[in-house]
Amino acid sequence: KHSKPALLAYINCSLQEAILERNADKVEYALLVLFHFDLYDTSLDSLICQLLLENWHYKHEDLVSLVQSEKIQICVNAVYETAIKSFDYLAYDTHRGLSRKCTWALAEIGTEAAYSKLRELANSENSLIRSYAEKRLANPT
């Protein structure tokens, strides 16, 4: 049996290594442990923000869900950037589901900074992103 601090240290170390090595598998394994044992901790926030901006892994939706559920305020800019980015592995998604999820996360965070980013998204040149943001601004939750 592992203690919570030991598992949290494993997750933290694994995510740091994943970023240094650009290792998508390490991101996936660390997040699996985090979600399985429900081990979110604010010590992970900066790593989560950093991972949102990276394009070499495939866990952006999970990360945005985590930001949304934990209302991680320091990730507002990273969530905004994620909403407007296009990731090669999501090229099949013509409905921009990740962008939609980002608008939900910003609305759920609910700070003035988050709403400011939602308003920016509501002015997007991309009609889908614009409509998702407009909907969240009209119906925040």
Side-chain angles (χ1 to χ4, degrees), residues 39-55:
L39 288 173
Y40 166 74
D41 185 85
T42 57
S43 66
L44 301 172
D45 288 357
S46 63
L47 294 169
I48 292 165
C49 295
Q50 190 173 351
L51 282 166
L52 278 171
L53 301 174
E54 299 289 350
N55 63 359

Side-chain angles (χ1 to χ4, degrees), residues 25-104:
D25 289 339
K26 282 190 179 180
V27 173
E28 185 166 353
Y29 300 145
L31 292 179
L32 258 169
V33 173
L34 185 151
F35 288 122
H36 180 77
F37 292 103
D38 192 22
L39 288 173
Y40 166 74
D41 185 85
T42 57
S43 66
L44 301 172
D45 288 357
S46 63
L47 294 169
I48 292 165
C49 295
Q50 190 173 351
L51 282 166
L52 278 171
L53 301 174
E54 299 289 350
N55 63 359
W56 45 262
H57 66 85
Y58 315 101
K59 303 309 281 181
H60 296 90
E61 289 201 18
D62 289 343
L63 291 164
V64 170
S65 292
L66 182 60
V67 169
Q68 179 179 347
S69 66
E70 300 298 335
K71 297 180 171 82
I72 306 174
Q73 294 181 24
I74 70 162
C75 289
V76 164
N77 289 334
V79 171
Y80 169 82
E81 293 297 329
T82 301
I84 61 175
K85 263 183 148 177
S86 294
F87 297 95
D88 290 343
Y89 77 98
L90 293 174
Y92 70 90
D93 183 9
T94 56
H95 297 290
R96 294 199 63 112
L98 178 60
S99 297
R100 183 175 183 268
K101 190 176 281 257
C102 288
T103 64
W104 277 95

Side-chain angles (χ1 to χ4, degrees), residues 120-139:
E120 284 185 50
L121 292 174
N123 290 315
S124 173
E125 291 181 14
N126 182 298
S127 62
L128 279 172
I129 295 173
R130 186 170 57 247
S131 69
Y132 295 147
E134 287 170 348
K135 189 171 184 177
R136 289 287 57 80
L137 287 166
N139 306 295

